[in-house]
Amino acid sequence: MRRRLERDFERFKRELPRDFPSHVRETYGIDLAARYLDVDLPHPIGKGSGQLSLNAAQLEDAAAAGLAFAVLKTVIAEDETGAQAMAAWAIHETRMKVERRAAAGEAPGGRTGWTVTWKGRGWDRSLAAYLALVRTGRDLARSTGMQVVPSVKYHLPRLAEPFRDGEYRHTTGRLAEAWGEPPLLLEKDFSPTLAGDALSEDRAQIVRWLREVPKRIRQATPVPVRVAVKLMNARFDDAFQLAMMDAAAGADALVCFNRLFDERLGVAYGGWDLSDRNLRVLETRLTPGTPHLRAGSVVPLTPGASPGIPTLTGTGNICSGRMILQYARRGCESAQLHTFFQLPLSQYPATHGSRTQRALHALVFDPRDGLVAGMLELEAQGTLERRGGEVHFLDLASDARRPR
């Protein structure tokens, strides 16, 4: 198996087959099938919302590379008059800067990860232009199988204020019309507001949003909607991260967790600090009897005890297949990446293809840190067992959800 993997790694440097999941299954007996928002995926790797999913050419490139799904740039919701309560977030992106960031507290020469810095926020064009992109994504999803998911930033009121339901009705309804065939898959992005804004300073306010927003999105249109909530790293302790997960239990899926915030530089960032915290919080959530806040009370969380607990998708410092497996072993059924698709070409072992293809080549076939190598290693350790002659990626998330 090791020799086969090394040969595949070398030959796929020039051209990655689009249907690499079938090759992995036939050659290694590994089923990479994954899920996002209860949709079956051929493998777990998707593109998170941002600058890499805001036009048709980027979506076509992602589909041609064989990506499992792509979340569109976040649109700012509006009502039927075009008014946007969160208009301040419709700011044009500055040029993205890809750079190294050392992990906090590490000695010189310690772990150094990648982060992308920019100053922009959400979609800064019209809703009509966004709907055109949604229709393009819909057609691409139907022709290639790559799922395309719109992302929305709706009105988030202060604690004593009402929600502007007109924004929810108008924007969700227009998205449903553009998509056509139900259900509408939709991601609600909380991360921009809760990074450096004053709105992020009130815990009760955040909990209210997470409790109420998923149901308001569903109530906004008669069309069935599956809602993923992209959770942020709030500027509080790990217990509040867990409280946010509980508060968002009305969502169909949780994306855990978006970037950290650097108070000194005034920017969000990633790297090892991000994945360390994300994995620690997800691991704590699975620990039997761990007390944390739920609806303002301290209660133990029993994984899998409630059928209403949303499924999980991991995000944060995912620069290897091994890191995807770390998230999977903590309950995540898929993964969203952004930074790894933007590295300098010299950082990818592949010599040909788009950045997306080169990234997938490394994530899947790297003989040391790729998905195939990692799953074979977990099988050798007895963590994964073959069923019907195959090991299955989704077994990792299923095992994580079982009571310990």
Side-chain angles (χ1 to χ4, degrees), residues 169-236:
R169 287 192 299 270
H170 181 70
T171 302
T172 312
R174 295 295 304 278
L175 289 170
E177 290 172 7
W179 190 260
E181 183 179 340
L184 171 66
L185 307 182
L186 185 149
E187 189 167 289
K188 168 64 183 87
D189 188 0
F190 280 92
S191 55
T193 295
L194 298 184
D197 193 89
L199 287 172
S200 67
E201 297 172 359
D202 190 322
R203 299 186 191 212
Q205 193 164 256
I206 296 170
V207 168
R208 178 198 178 197
W209 296 336
L210 293 170
R211 283 182 187 154
E212 296 194 28
V213 164
K215 67 182 179 183
R216 288 181 181 277
I217 294 172
R218 292 198 190 91
Q219 293 168 356
T221 174
V223 174
V225 182
R226 294 182 193 167
V227 181
V229 167
K230 188 172 188 177
L231 291 169
M232 73 308 300
N233 268 290
R235 291 181 289 176
F236 302 114

Side-chain angles (χ1 to χ4, degrees), residues 33-44 68-69 141 145-149 179 183-186 226 252-253 311 313 333-334 394:
R35 278 192 296 265
Y36 173 59
L37 276 172
D38 294 325
V39 173
D40 293 333
L41 305 172
H43 62 84
F69 65 99
M146 182 187 77
Q147 296 300 313
V148 177
V149 181
W179 190 260
L184 171 66
L185 307 182
L186 185 149
R226 294 182 193 167
D252 297 286
T311 58
T313 290
E333 296 183 337
S334 55
L394 282 174

Side-chain angles (χ1 to χ4, degrees), residues 2 5 9 272 318-325 340 361-375 377:
R2 173 67 64 178
L5 183 55
F9 180 65
W272 286 103
I318 297 178
C319 294
S320 70
R322 193 173 294 276
M323 183 62 78
I324 294 173
L325 296 176
F340 195 60
H361 166 259
L363 292 166
V364 177
F365 292 104
D366 186 283
R368 185 171 66 92
D369 289 329
L371 271 174
V372 173
M375 290 185 68
E377 183 179 305

Side-chain angles (χ1 to χ4, degrees), residues 329-398:
R329 297 186 70 180
R330 290 159 178 83
C332 296
E333 296 183 337
S334 55
Q336 291 189 12
L337 291 72
H338 194 264
T339 299
F340 195 60
F341 294 125
Q342 302 178 72
L343 302 188
L345 290 179
S346 61
Q347 297 300 310
Y348 302 110
T351 57
H352 293 71
S354 66
R355 274 186 171 80
T356 306
Q357 289 172 314
R358 296 180 192 215
L360 287 170
H361 166 259
L363 292 166
V364 177
F365 292 104
D366 186 283
R368 185 171 66 92
D369 289 329
L371 271 174
V372 173
M375 290 185 68
L376 291 174
E377 183 179 305
L378 291 173
E379 180 192 12
Q381 295 170 354
T383 301
L384 281 173
E385 295 183 0
R386 292 189 178 258
R387 293 185 290 107
E390 297 176 339
V391 290
H392 301 261
F393 172 81
L394 282 174
D395 282 355
L396 292 169
S398 297

